[in-house]
Amino acid sequence: MALAKESSPVSPRSGVDQEAEYRAQTRLWLRLLACATLIEGELRRRFREEFDFTMPRFDVLAQLDREPSGLVLGELPKRLMVSAGNLTPIVDRLVEDGFITRTPSNLDRRVQIVCMTVEGRKAFRRMAKSHGSWLAELLAGFPADRLDALTGELDALKGAVKDAMQKP
Amino acid sequence: MALAKESSPVSPRSGVDQEAEYRAQTRLWLRLLACATLIEGELRRRFREEFDFTMPRFDVLAQLDREPSGLVLGELPKRLMVSAGNLTPIVDRLVEDGFITRTPSNLDRRVQIVCMTVEGRKAFRRMAKSHGSWLAELLAGFPADRLDALTGELDALKGAVKDAMQKP
DNA sequence: ACATTTTATTTTAAGTATAGAACATATCCC
DNA sequence: GGGATATGTTCTATACTTAAAATAAAATGT
């Protein structure tokens, strides 16, 4: 029988392979995090410099841009994967700046409906265009014919992680 | 000549292909960000619940664990890709809690040297073990024989982005 | 030697993040 | 109807993040 660093009654893998898999998983996670941090930091910096705008605020506008009739406020935390309390000051500021409106629903006075204004939509389009070209600039060095394959692998990864999180 | 939404005197690609590449790049970025956010959020939640500890603090300990003789404070921001000012309160708290020490250098009184304590090292090992198993749990559903290939692609991506950021 | 510049670190201001408590309003069940 | 419960939103406390200004010490140039 092969050497095993740890007894592993459940898994059929040997301890050595298990350790190797651990390392491969850690490497993957560190690379993933490094890529995301690198790109996100650069995009944030440019948003700030060019438009004096932040990414969370842009993300809110991006969601509302797809919903001409507005969105129930409670829908935003779900779509953006952030906590609800977090959105209050962000929405506050977007209203203050005139990019969106927030009106209570007549049917359920707990509910708020947020909707982009004309100026908000105009500002969003301008920023979205820049966002796209910045991304293209940053990813230009990566072969175009491997983009979809990588996206597919990340999709598989995302699915696997979601499953793992939902099960227990 | 094919229909082109925008004139593109530099690129040999047609407007249509260019648009398709834009979309593929955006898809990739959104997937990458979703994966990183998903995993990071779960790891952070567990750190908090199990150890009442945060990831930035863990990251600092992880760097110091590799340096038995300590590290110049200024080296941390570079390795962790965060701003220097950000680290001051984090290091403060780690010192307060007895996980690390911070001592001014005798040769250059501007320089601070940070070093993990025995208790800090012990706490780090315990947390690192959990961190590894959490990651293994989250990534268990992703085929082990595709880990390295995905890591390699992300390496290529990271290199491409770094090049794009350094050039201009 | 002394003024200038560079380097290391901390402080400050604004914004973002979470968790959890608090509040208001609806809905359910009797 | 009226009390228990559920839901949508905001508030509070704590922590992290960046950029930019402030501080302090060292290195450099004349």
Side-chain angles (χ1 to χ4, degrees):
Chain A
M1 185 152 187
L3 290 171
K5 279 187 176 172
E6 310 174 17
S7 66
S8 171
V10 176
S11 165
R13 291 189 185 93
S14 80
V16 172
D17 285 359
Q18 178 72 5
E19 284 295 317
E21 189 172 339
Y22 256 57
R23 277 196 300 277
Q25 288 168 330
T26 301
R27 265 198 308 274
L28 173 57
W29 167 235
L30 293 178
R31 282 313 176 288
L32 184 61
L33 188 61
C35 283
T37 302
L38 198 62
I39 296 172
E40 193 177 13
E42 182 67 12
L43 290 178
R44 172 175 41 222
R45 198 179 60 74
R46 295 196 189 195
F47 260 114
R48 179 177 167 64
E49 286 184 1
E50 301 290 327
F51 300 117
D52 191 26
F53 220 71
T54 63
M55 290 191 55
R57 301 180 72 200
F58 178 75
D59 292 340
V60 170
L61 294 189
Q63 285 304 320
L64 293 181
D65 186 55
R66 301 274 168 205
E67 306 286 344
S69 59
L71 206 58
V72 170
L73 181 49
E75 189 65 21
L76 282 175
K78 294 172 198 165
R79 297 203 187 182
L80 299 176
M81 303 209 303
V82 300
S83 61
N86 182 15
L87 277 177
T88 299
I90 293 173
V91 168
D92 283 350
R93 249 182 78 76
L94 287 173
V95 171
E96 221 174 88
D97 293 350
F99 292 124
I100 65 178
T101 60
R102 170 171 44 184
T103 54
S105 164
N106 289 27
L107 299 89
D108 184 338
R109 265 172 299 175
R110 294 171 304 182
V111 172
Q112 306 260 7
I113 294 164
V114 283
C115 193
M116 190 131 47
T117 63
V118 176
E119 310 90 73
R121 210 169 289 274
K122 214 184 291 183
F124 171 72
R125 298 249 186 251
R126 194 159 36 87
M127 291 191 286
K129 199 172 169 182
S130 290
H131 178 267
S133 61
W134 293 336
L135 202 50
E137 185 187 326
L138 290 174
L139 303 189
F142 189 82
D145 59 351
R146 284 196 273 154
L147 285 170
D148 288 339
L150 180 50
T151 303
E153 286 297 282
L154 290 174
D155 251 334
L157 181 66
K158 185 178 152 194
V161 173
K162 275 201 161 170
D163 283 350
M165 283 173 57
Q166 230 151 7
K167 288 288 167 53
Chain B
M1 182 151 187
L3 291 171
K5 280 187 178 174
E6 310 175 17
S7 67
S8 172
V10 177
S11 164
R13 290 188 188 95
S14 79
V16 172
D17 285 359
Q18 178 72 6
E19 284 296 316
E21 188 172 339
Y22 255 58
R23 278 195 301 276
Q25 288 168 330
T26 301
R27 266 198 308 273
L28 172 59
W29 168 233
L30 292 179
R31 280 319 173 288
L32 183 63
L33 188 59
C35 283
T37 302
L38 198 62
I39 297 172
E40 194 177 14
E42 182 67 10
L43 291 178
R44 173 176 37 221
R45 197 180 61 72
R46 296 196 188 196
F47 261 114
R48 179 176 167 62
E49 285 183 2
E50 301 290 327
F51 299 117
D52 192 26
F53 218 73
T54 63
M55 291 191 52
R57 300 180 73 200
F58 178 76
D59 292 341
V60 169
L61 294 189
Q63 286 304 319
L64 293 180
D65 186 55
R66 300 274 168 207
E67 306 286 344
S69 59
L71 205 60
V72 170
L73 181 50
E75 190 65 21
L76 282 175
K78 293 174 200 164
R79 296 202 188 183
L80 299 175
M81 302 209 303
V82 299
S83 60
N86 183 15
L87 277 177
T88 299
I90 293 174
V91 168
D92 284 349
R93 250 183 76 75
L94 287 173
V95 170
E96 221 174 88
D97 294 350
F99 292 123
I100 67 177
T101 59
R102 170 173 44 185
T103 53
S105 164
N106 290 25
L107 298 91
D108 184 339
R109 264 173 299 175
R110 295 170 305 179
V111 171
Q112 306 263 6
I113 294 163
V114 284
C115 192
M116 192 132 44
T117 63
V118 176
E119 310 92 72
R121 211 168 289 273
K122 214 184 292 183
F124 171 72
R125 298 248 187 251
R126 192 159 37 87
M127 292 191 284
K129 201 172 168 183
S130 290
H131 179 267
S133 61
W134 294 335
L135 202 51
E137 186 188 326
L138 290 174
L139 302 190
F142 189 82
D145 61 349
R146 283 195 273 154
L147 285 170
D148 288 341
L150 180 49
T151 303
E153 285 298 280
L154 289 174
D155 251 335
L157 182 65
K158 184 177 152 195
V161 173
K162 275 202 160 168
D163 284 350
M165 282 172 57
Q166 229 151 9
K167 287 289 167 54

